[in-house]
Amino acid sequence: MSEAITHAHDAHGHADHHGPDKGFKRWLFTTNHKDIGTLYLTFSLIMLFIGGAMALLIRIELYEPGKVLLDPEYFNQMTTMHGLIMVFGVIMPAMAGLANWMIPMMIGAPDMALPRLNNWSFWLLPFAFSMLLSTMIMSGPAPDFGWTFYAPLSTTYGPKSTDFFIFSIHMMGASSILASLNIVVTIFNMRAPGMTWMKMPLFVWSWLVTAFLLLAVMPVLAGCVTMMLMDRHFHTSFFNAAGGGDPLLFQHVFWFFGHPEVYILILPGFGVISEIIPTFARKKLFGYRFMVYATALIAIVGFVVWMHHMFTTGAPYVAQLYFMYATMLVAVPTGIKVFNWLGTLFKGSITFETPMLFALGFLIMFTLGGFSGLMLSLVPADYQYRDSYFVVAHFHYVLVSGSLFTIIAAVYFWLPKWTGHMYNERLGQLHFWLSVIGMNVTFLPMHFLGLAGMPRRIPDYALQFTDFNQICTIGAFIFGFAQLIFLYIILRSCFGKKQDHVSNQVWEGAHGLEWTLPSPVPYHTFETIPHVS
């Protein structure tokens, strides 16, 4: 082992760039956590533009009533693909990329605990999404049953390409399980001496809780799509009422996965915000222990509220009552977090660099999304809102500001560390303001569309909804094109000129963050870790 490492390093501890470390082979075989974090983030960025293009197609179709661009079946395919790509192809890989990059450095570990497993967990993803996207060019229709793929639409009536969709979901799930195992083992076993549980950064805590959530619910999703496959090809009747099954069973199994999944998408973002706000307020985080306990409580309560997605399915009143109260309970730990962030800001020496702007944008808009979620938790109100554009507005306020904004904030915050180059602050601020304006112009009117009775997932609508839909479409294009500025900023930071180079201390925060010099060159590859004979 020592011979292999000696061979791989020069006198400065940097990799000797000969053989497998060069070019494509280096990225294919790498087992270095920074490389794999970069791969995750790059993949997520590519999928963001693919999924975003699909969203813009949906908005073009909805610009005015009557058929403009897409036939209804293709419109349904776009809604299915957009949802799946944004959840599984953008938010989750980006959060995994941040985890790979930052967790070992934050806990003082040399790398992730299981480096080869780490490599495999990433490389499952491009193949999974290639399989999913390939359904768009198959001879039959692509999956057109929405991202929640309810039975019997996806089983009895699903197109032939549904089988490819099922296998791609399996591969995404396997990738998530492997990555989560790696994160849990790393945090448990590789903390530096003295790094006790209550000294861990909150980003690490949030990912530890998220990883346990993933390990608990991903097998449930795998079981769900396996039952779909059985119903489609092996004459079982899990979801087929004609054979003694129950289509509602699908919704129970799916949402038992689907509701904790919402917290999987959000909790790492909470961790990011808990790193950024203290830095730019120049204060220690207010109420650290309560933040840790609130994170764990959100995860626990997230497991016992799945049926609030099913209030209108004829559930017993006692079940509706329980799930209503349990859902409202989630507001307590979330409120603790919001007030602790506000407590951190209170009397802080605040500056408004781009990461802080995105963090504050998150704080305001995520809270708005939480309030509309509270409205949806009330059974009588949910009867009115269910399957209307109000629901679409709610979860986009939660996920765009809660997940996407936190990922963007994290990229701005840690980009100088990753690349050794400072991003352009003026362009970053322009990106923020265009994103905030675009997001609110897109999703705020959807609340009123839903309250006025416009159903979701339709390619055409009544004439009275035209004005608000046109405003939504204009906002979507503002938001979409703002992300091109983000792409330019990232490329310039990665391949910047010498004048962009940063000093050893960019954010002079509460922690004296001396971590902005570029990291050492990665050295782990399959060839530098010898096989055990």
Side-chain angles (χ1 to χ4, degrees):
M1 182 71 173
S2 59
E3 286 175 15
I5 292 177
T6 308
H7 172 71
H9 287 70
D10 61 16
H12 304 291
H14 287 182
D16 187 8
H17 271 267
H18 299 294
D21 274 359
K22 269 193 160 175
F24 177 69
K25 225 174 172 187
R26 167 191 157 184
W27 294 101
L28 187 63
F29 295 124
T30 182
T31 50
N32 178 276
H33 72 99
K34 294 165 192 161
D35 276 357
I36 293 168
T38 304
L39 285 169
Y40 269 116
L41 289 163
T42 305
F43 174 80
S44 169
L45 193 64
I46 293 166
M47 297 310 289
L48 175 68
F49 284 99
I50 294 172
M54 292 173 174
L56 293 183
L57 282 172
I58 292 167
R59 286 309 328 163
I60 290 170
E61 174 63 36
L62 292 171
Y63 185 73
E64 59 183 32
K67 185 177 173 185
V68 178
L69 180 71
L70 314 176
D71 64 50
E73 188 178 69
Y74 194 73
F75 180 88
N76 289 344
Q77 292 166 18
M78 286 294 103
T79 56
T80 304
M81 289 292 181
H82 167 71
L84 288 165
I85 285 170
M86 287 302 185
V87 170
F88 294 106
V90 178
I91 306 298
M92 289 171 74
M95 293 298 190
L98 297 176
N100 267 289
W101 250 106
M102 300 314 299
I103 286 174
M105 289 197 259
M106 285 179 163
I107 63 172
D111 203 307
M112 296 296 276
L114 309 161
R116 292 183 181 172
L117 197 75
N118 208 10
N119 176 287
W120 190 32
S121 73
F122 169 75
W123 281 110
L124 280 168
L125 284 178
F127 293 98
F129 281 93
S130 299
M131 190 183 291
L132 183 65
L133 289 168
S134 71
T135 59
M136 301 292 294
I137 53 171
M138 290 179 183
S139 55
D144 55 1
F145 31 65
W147 84 273
T148 52
F149 49 98
Y150 280 180
L153 268 180
S154 56
T155 50
T156 308
Y157 304 108
K160 288 183 179 177
S161 58
T162 305
D163 302 324
F164 287 84
F165 159 87
I166 288 169
F167 283 119
S168 69
I169 294 277
H170 265 304
M171 289 170 75
M172 294 170 210
S175 166
S176 295
I177 288 169
L178 297 178
S180 304
L181 275 171
N182 208 351
I183 287 165
V184 169
V185 174
T186 303
I187 295 170
F188 266 79
N189 293 339
M190 297 185 69
R191 301 194 307 283
M195 174 67 75
T196 59
W197 290 110
M198 284 299 159
K199 285 183 183 172
M200 290 198 314
L202 263 170
F203 179 72
V204 180
W205 261 115
S206 67
W207 246 113
L208 181 65
V209 172
T210 304
F212 275 114
L213 273 177
L214 275 162
L215 289 171
V217 301
M218 275 299 165
V220 178
L221 179 66
C224 184
V225 293
T226 304
M227 287 192 278
M228 279 175 64
L229 194 70
M230 293 290 183
D231 272 13
R232 284 173 61 80
H233 294 290
F234 298 101
H235 305 291
T236 57
S237 293
F238 291 110
F239 310 130
N240 184 359
D246 187 356
L248 273 185
L249 173 64
F250 180 94
Q251 292 191 34
H252 280 290
V253 176
F254 177 84
W255 286 116
F256 190 79
F257 147 80
H259 197 77
E261 170 68 17
V262 174
Y263 299 108
I264 287 162
L265 301 175
I266 291 286
L267 285 176
F270 287 176
V272 167
I273 298 303
S274 300
E275 302 300 325
I276 291 175
I277 285 180
T279 301
F280 294 100
R282 284 151 183 83
K283 274 177 69 186
K284 277 185 74 174
L285 184 75
F286 181 83
Y288 171 90
R289 278 180 180 268
F290 282 99
M291 292 292 256
V292 172
Y293 300 145
T295 305
L297 189 58
I298 286 170
I300 292 163
V301 177
F303 266 105
V304 292
V305 296
W306 78 91
M307 224 184 82
H308 66 213
H309 298 272
M310 301 169 59
F311 282 151
T312 55
T313 57
Y317 283 128
V318 66
Q320 293 187 40
L321 202 62
Y322 158 74
F323 281 101
M324 178 173 77
Y325 288 137
T327 303
M328 292 166 75
L329 189 65
V330 180
V332 176
T334 312
I336 289 169
K337 283 184 162 292
V338 170
F339 285 119
N340 280 5
W341 287 321
L342 292 173
T344 308
L345 290 166
F346 183 64
K347 291 194 174 179
S349 198
I350 302 170
T351 52
F352 296 98
E353 288 89 348
T354 310
M356 185 60 157
L357 287 177
F358 273 99
L360 295 174
F362 151 83
L363 206 55
I364 294 163
M365 290 185 293
F366 178 79
T367 305
L368 277 173
F371 281 133
S372 61
L374 206 56
M375 293 166 70
L376 286 162
S377 74
L378 301 168
V379 173
D382 185 76
Y383 277 21
Q384 310 303 317
Y385 306 142
R386 179 59 45 197
D387 276 335
S388 77
Y389 255 83
F390 189 87
V391 179
V392 179
H394 157 67
F395 70 69
H396 279 92
Y397 258 86
V398 170
L399 289 179
V400 176
S401 66
S403 297
L404 196 60
F405 270 39
T406 54
I407 290 163
I408 294 169
V411 169
Y412 280 118
F413 188 53
W414 285 315
L415 201 59
K417 161 66 187 164
W418 298 340
T419 64
H421 295 113
M422 190 62 187
Y423 66 86
N424 184 313
E425 182 65 38
R426 187 171 290 178
L427 277 179
Q429 302 224 356
L430 176 67
H431 173 223
F432 167 74
W433 287 111
L434 284 175
S435 294
V436 164
I437 292 165
M439 191 218 144
N440 283 292
V441 171
T442 306
F443 299 114
L444 194 64
M446 289 185 187
H447 291 96
F448 308 119
L449 284 169
L451 293 174
M454 180 174 164
R456 61 193 282 204
R457 290 181 178 163
I458 53 164
D460 200 1
Y461 51 84
L463 202 60
Q464 65 265 31
F465 302 131
T466 307
D467 290 350
F468 274 167
N469 268 299
Q470 292 187 340
I471 293 168
C472 292
T473 298
I474 291 164
F477 273 87
I478 294 170
F479 185 82
F481 283 107
Q483 307 322 308
L484 294 173
I485 300 171
F486 185 44
L487 180 63
Y488 171 76
I489 290 167
I490 291 171
L491 292 174
R492 180 168 169 177
S493 292
C494 291
F495 308 106
K497 295 172 185 167
K498 287 215 161 54
Q499 62 259 34
D500 295 329
H501 201 73
V502 293
S503 69
N504 195 29
Q505 197 166 359
V506 172
W507 317 123
E508 295 188 18
H511 316 295
L513 292 173
E514 296 186 7
W515 46 241
T516 49
L517 281 182
S519 301
V521 180
Y523 62 89
H524 285 316
T525 67
F526 276 104
E527 295 197 7
T528 58
I529 300 177
H531 293 276
V532 179
S533 55

